[in-house]
Amino acid sequence: SYVLTQPPSVSVAPGRTARITCGGNNIGSKSVHWYQQKPGQAPVLVNYYDSDRRSGTPGRFSGSNSGNTATLTIIRVEAGDEADYYCQVWDPSGDPWVFGGGTKLTVL
Amino acid sequence: EVQLVESGGGLVQPGGSLRLSCAVSGFTVSTSYMSWVRQAPGKGLEWVSCIYSVGSTHYADSVKGRFTISRHNFKNTLYLQINSLGVEDTAVYFCARIYGASARTFYFDLWGQGTLVTVSS
């Protein structure tokens, strides 16, 4: 089955840039989607198809995907961006919907 | 307004059963692809099951044979019958709509708030 690897945590100061990575074998050939989950809330789709922002997602969020790594980049990080972020792909080799383990973004 | 509202969670003993419901408004369940995703306490997201508009169903290996996904078209509601529960099934269960141009691009664009299932003696 396909495995997605995310760093457990990323810390960044307000106003700086956060980069959350999602590693997978040849992930660049897949379509990667990103979800934001704040404590006690349901996940919310923020980016899909590697780099498309969902309506309502701030323009500070962007995505990229190449080779073995997909990245969610958040520029000018704000306190409200503090959350868990999950990447997701579809892969038929096992359970088809695969999530990364999640990355806790802490705004210092 | 689009809403997905789960219910039916609770405390159940190991080996027990529950039926989870997801009442949907704002779009039609029967013409959508729908899914259940769960999250154990303090853990990440895990896909559980899905049902396509044509009625075909799919399950994660961890729940195959124990969980059954279904829908009621008139009530516009999604269900998950969960049987033979074990402590490892303790989680918040979310219903979500699947969206995407094709299978390889599928993602979850709408989520409910979740319902907590606790399996304990």
Side-chain angles (χ1 to χ4, degrees):
Chain A
S1 60
Y2 194 77
V3 176
L4 294 174
T5 302
Q6 296 183 239
S9 62
V10 168
S11 298
V12 63
R16 305 300 292 249
T17 297
R19 293 179 179 85
I20 299 171
T21 59
C22 176
N25 184 35
N26 197 25
I27 196 175
S29 68
K30 300 184 181 299
S31 191
V32 180
H33 320 292
W34 290 92
Y35 304 86
Q36 177 192 68
Q37 186 181 33
K38 296 184 177 180
Q41 298 184 18
V44 174
L45 178 73
V46 292
N47 262 45
Y48 59 102
Y49 296 165
D50 298 340
S51 58
D52 288 354
R53 271 188 306 274
R54 183 186 186 172
S55 174
T57 299
R60 301 180 294 102
F61 287 69
S62 64
S64 62
N65 184 19
S66 179
N68 293 318
T69 304
T71 304
L72 179 69
T73 301
I74 310 170
I75 63 173
R76 300 189 301 276
V77 167
E78 302 174 358
D81 299 331
E82 192 162 277
D84 294 326
Y85 291 84
Y86 295 90
C87 57
Q88 175 253 312
V89 301
W90 191 91
D91 182 272
S93 63
D95 292 344
W97 278 272
V98 181
F99 289 96
T103 297
K104 181 176 180 59
L105 176 65
T106 299
V107 181
L108 301 171
Chain B
E1 181 189 8
V2 173
Q3 271 194 313
L4 297 82
V5 180
E6 299 94 334
S7 61
L11 175 63
V12 61
Q13 291 187 339
S17 299
L18 281 175
R19 188 177 82 157
L20 309 182
S21 301
C22 173
V24 171
S25 56
F27 67 92
T28 303
V29 167
S30 64
T31 58
S32 301
Y33 289 9
M34 299 295 297
S35 187
W36 289 93
V37 176
R38 69 183 179 182
Q39 185 172 37
K43 302 297 185 182
L45 301 171
E46 178 190 18
W47 173 75
V48 171
S49 180
C50 70
I51 182 167
Y52 291 165
S53 55
V54 295
S56 59
T57 59
H58 305 274
Y59 300 92
D61 287 344
S62 60
V63 307
K64 205 169 292 183
R66 300 188 298 122
F67 290 16
T68 303
I69 191 171
S70 63
R71 66 191 181 205
H72 193 296
N73 295 345
F74 182 74
K75 294 183 178 180
N76 209 34
T77 298
L78 180 73
Y79 300 102
L80 187 68
Q81 178 69 40
I82 51 180
N83 299 329
S84 303
L85 282 161
V87 294
E88 69 278 7
D89 297 313
T90 294
V92 174
Y93 286 73
F94 298 99
C95 66
R97 187 176 73 174
I98 298 165
Y99 207 76
S102 65
R104 64 178 297 275
T105 65
F106 281 159
Y107 58 92
F108 304 101
D109 71 329
L110 298 171
W111 296 69
Q113 86 289 348
T115 187
L116 175 62
V117 173
T118 302
V119 184
S120 175
S121 55

